Amino acid sequence: METGDESTTAHTAQPPAAAGRHAAGAIRQGRGGVRRRIAVRGTTALLAAALLALALPVTAPATPFRQAGATDTTPPPIDLAIAVDESGSLSADDVERERDAADRIAVSEVNAQSRITVLGFASATRRGQTPVDEVCPTTALSPVAKERMGSCVGKLAKREKGQGDGTDFPAAIRQAVNRLTTNSTGGPRMLFLLTDGLLNVNDSPSYGQDVQSRERNSRLALAAALDEARKAQVQIWPLGFGSADPKALADMAAAGYQGACTNLAGATPKATVVDSAALGSTLQSAFAGARCLVTDEPQEGKPPADIYLRISPLATLATIVVSKGDAAVTADFYDPQGTKVRGSGEADGSHLQLSGAEQEVESLQITDPRPGRWRVHLDAPADHRSKLATVGVQWRGALRSSITLTPAAPHPGQQAAVQLHLQTRDGLPVTDPADVQTLQVSAELSGDGFDDRPITLRNDGSAGEGTFSGAVTVPATATGALEVVGVLGAVGLSADHRPFVTRIAVVNPDVTAYLDVSHADDKAGARLNPGKHVSFVVKAANTATTTHTLRVQLLDTRPGDLSVTPTAITLKPGESTTVTGRLMVGDQVPQGELSGRLQVFDTAHPGQPLDARLITVRVVPEPGAARRVWDAWWPAIVAVLLLLAGLAAWLVVRHRITISATDPGGLELCLLEAGAEEEEEEEGERSKLVVRSSAVGKNGWYGFAVVRDNSAPRLAPMPVGPYFVRRDRNRLAQLRQPGSAQTSVRYRQSVPVDQGRLRLRIDPGTRATRAPGTWLPSLLRPRPKTTRQSKASEHRPPTRSDSTYHADM
């Protein structure tokens, strides 16, 4: 057996038989509802704010490895038409709200090359009238055109009876489609239809001679006009005003172009009744869906206020939109680290583009945004703080993926396990519940001899963070090639799905191999420093009569992040072997998670892996000196600490035992006549005093005095002396008298006191006993803190000037 020694960095190329595939699935509908009803002006402002983010591409192409700091943030142009209902079924106030919404949409577009047309429509009841008024002819939205937009939108007005006050939808839609397709920018085509949805051409001679024929012909004309819009790829987004008919609005939305984001339900044009309390969230979701964007519920506040928004780690391009309601309001943006955005340009690996700072709608567009909690600070002069401001974030993103099938070459009718691992552009697993809910992940099995089979995948945590797992049974009719590929369905998200390509297993294969990556594929992932490695094992056998070479390959990871060695294993005829390999982290890899697919195949059959495994490695910073010492010497360090702890405990216990041995508590002091003989001492006792432990000073001495009053001399407790007594460890008593040195006294032996006029006998008495089990806590209990004394003063009796003075009379 021979192995190749050369280390090969990971690459993204597939084996020769591999072929790429991209797929998309369905995603959930947009989230509902803001908590408060938005004011009329704020409602239309939000509509305009949401449109700012529409300047992103219609489709979200797979972006396998985005480079930080990319500067391609210029939004592509769009073709936009706004058709405003001026019919008699709307009140003057309703038309005023429509006019305000149209004005705000127009001035909020950020690309100067985008084209806009504003139409007012009602009906034509007699010769010389037209159902559609082109109040703002098609124009590019240059700064000058925006300044003039308010004057032409101001021409919109409710038509009175005799002016043609019906509602001719077919005429309005046809003219909008004509303007959107003439000299088109090539970008998305969107028609915003501001109306109550009530079709009424009963007074229009062009639709027939009587009311019945006019109603029939107008319905047919509307269906034809909507079909023309669909064929011209015009999305229709009805916005209901007044007494809107939700069904009629929804029917018109469904009849327009539906293919902007194929098979993504959240991107399907839909109708919105503007009076809805949940308008804010509904509009954000609608406009995000029109451009394949993800949106969260907008936040509201009146300046001064701080509004917080979350940007997902999945995002590669995000736009924070502030609908201020008043151009005097200022907005300051702060990233998750608290750094203020100073203007457009490069910062922290992101490209920032600010626009609309002195307008009623302001936005910050961020390429490769720092994920986390962003803050928008709103402020305004005191007389410009009455209007409600709305702040929202809309984004698109991209994911990296890797997929495996186990066994790598299954038999027909055999069940195989499927695992799909997703990572963000920064190499992080998708773990936040808010992000996981955004995803709809599945897989698909295809191959020779059977129809494609869908595979359900779940993220239940059993396979690790960011990994979706499932199972599929290979059809019994499968005959040759197999391919399994991940399917991601989510508005605004794409993934660089790479398929797993293999073939049906041979009944009795000559060469077999098994990968053991238990150290690199556990749920937590191996933790490695840059430049370090983790081991894996390849077990292989060759029963053929010829030599075979196995190739070990690492796929689905960025160049330079990971490498593997050996890359080749040579098996002689009849040889079985076990080879230990190394999965190495690059020297310059930043902190984070790395993942990929490790597989082994026979070079004689490169399109059929013998085994494949997902691997996960967590790159952590190089530890400091203290950590390295701990890792190398922790057993010895723990042993020394335990030894020191034991020694400290022994010293404490020994000290407590010493203190207990010298405690004078229980001593009996007897005052005797000076001339009393030993056998007459009991008869000559003048006074007796039993020492109580509670009256002992903090330094262990008991103070007393010989008191002379009208009665005979007697002993009395006196904390400041002049006499002091205590025990010592030699079973003697220690006595201190005024003007003399400390002396040791045998128990039951009397010594002269009071200048020889009296004698003092000290009896050992009875020590206080402790309840079973309480002696050790007593020994270990901390004694009260005392003033620091010199070594000599620790053994002298206290005086009145001592801080340890204690009286118990």
Side-chain angles (χ1 to χ4, degrees), residues 72-396:
D72 185 17
T73 59
T74 303
I78 63 174
D79 290 297
L80 174 65
I82 306 173
V84 180
D85 188 347
E86 302 173 304
S87 67
S89 59
L90 292 167
S91 68
D93 288 340
D94 293 333
V95 176
E96 169 64 22
R97 295 171 62 221
E98 291 179 329
R99 183 168 57 241
D100 185 54
D103 184 24
R104 300 299 295 276
I105 292 172
V107 299
S108 298
E109 172 54 34
V110 295
N111 191 313
Q113 296 179 3
S114 293
R115 292 158 30 100
I116 188 170
T117 306
V118 180
L119 308 173
F121 71 96
S123 66
T125 58
R126 64 174 182 266
R127 184 173 298 177
Q129 291 181 343
T130 58
V132 181
D133 297 323
E134 193 165 308
V135 295
C136 298
T138 304
T139 182
L141 278 171
S142 65
V144 174
K146 285 185 179 182
E147 291 293 332
R148 297 175 178 174
M149 192 60 61
S151 60
C152 67
V153 170
K155 299 176 185 177
L156 294 167
K158 170 181 167 63
R159 293 195 192 183
E160 301 298 336
K161 195 166 185 67
Q163 295 179 324
D165 61 349
T167 312
D168 192 343
F169 287 128
I173 293 172
R174 283 196 174 102
Q175 187 155 335
V177 170
N178 178 268
R179 296 299 185 263
L180 289 170
T181 55
T182 302
N183 299 322
S184 173
T185 64
R189 297 167 182 167
M190 302 177 186
L191 168 59
F192 289 90
L193 194 59
L194 283 57
T195 179
D196 57 6
L198 304 178
L199 174 63
N200 179 12
V201 291
N202 292 345
D203 295 332
S204 299
S206 61
Y207 284 92
Q209 298 299 319
D210 53 60
V211 172
Q212 185 175 6
S213 61
R214 290 170 183 172
E215 289 181 348
R216 181 180 64 253
N217 292 335
S218 63
R219 288 194 295 270
L220 294 174
L222 177 57
L226 292 171
D227 186 61
E228 292 174 14
R230 180 182 57 79
K231 293 178 180 178
Q233 298 186 356
V234 175
Q235 302 177 47
I236 298 178
W237 295 83
L239 302 175
F241 290 83
S243 300
D245 182 346
K247 184 179 183 305
L249 297 176
D251 289 344
M252 285 189 282
Y257 181 60
Q258 307 291 303
C261 299
T262 306
N263 298 325
L264 298 181
T268 304
K270 53 184 66 69
T272 301
V273 177
V274 173
D275 288 338
S276 171
L279 173 67
S281 179
T282 302
L283 284 180
Q284 289 274 5
S285 299
F287 284 105
R291 300 305 298 271
C292 302
L293 299 176
V294 182
T295 184
D296 295 324
E297 181 177 339
Q299 307 296 316
E300 303 169 356
K302 292 182 179 180
D306 285 310
I307 296 179
Y308 294 89
L309 301 165
R310 175 182 178 271
I311 294 184
S312 168
L314 310 181
T316 56
L317 183 62
T319 302
I320 299 176
V321 182
V322 184
S323 179
K324 299 182 287 190
D326 189 330
V329 175
T330 61
D332 292 321
F333 302 87
Y334 296 84
D335 71 12
Q337 293 184 325
T339 304
K340 182 178 179 180
V341 175
R342 299 294 179 180
S344 299
E346 305 293 331
D348 193 26
S350 301
H351 181 80
L352 308 173
Q353 182 174 326
L354 279 168
S355 61
E358 298 180 357
Q359 301 176 11
E360 292 187 16
V361 178
E362 186 172 350
S363 71
L364 171 65
Q365 189 177 71
I366 318 163
T367 302
D368 294 323
R370 174 178 286 277
R373 195 172 183 233
W374 287 68
R375 176 168 66 97
V376 179
H377 178 72
L378 302 176
D379 206 351
D383 55 344
H384 290 267
R385 298 179 175 179
S386 61
K387 293 186 177 180
L388 193 67
T390 304
V391 182
V393 61
Q394 300 167 4
W395 54 273
R396 73 167 186 241

Side-chain angles (χ1 to χ4, degrees), residues 577-601:
T577 187
T578 298
V579 177
T580 299
R582 288 185 175 185
L583 182 68
M584 293 170 288
V585 177
D587 293 333
Q588 305 300 321
V589 175
Q591 181 178 353
E593 182 181 283
L594 302 177
S595 67
R597 185 172 84 219
L598 185 65
Q599 68 180 29
V600 57
F601 62 91

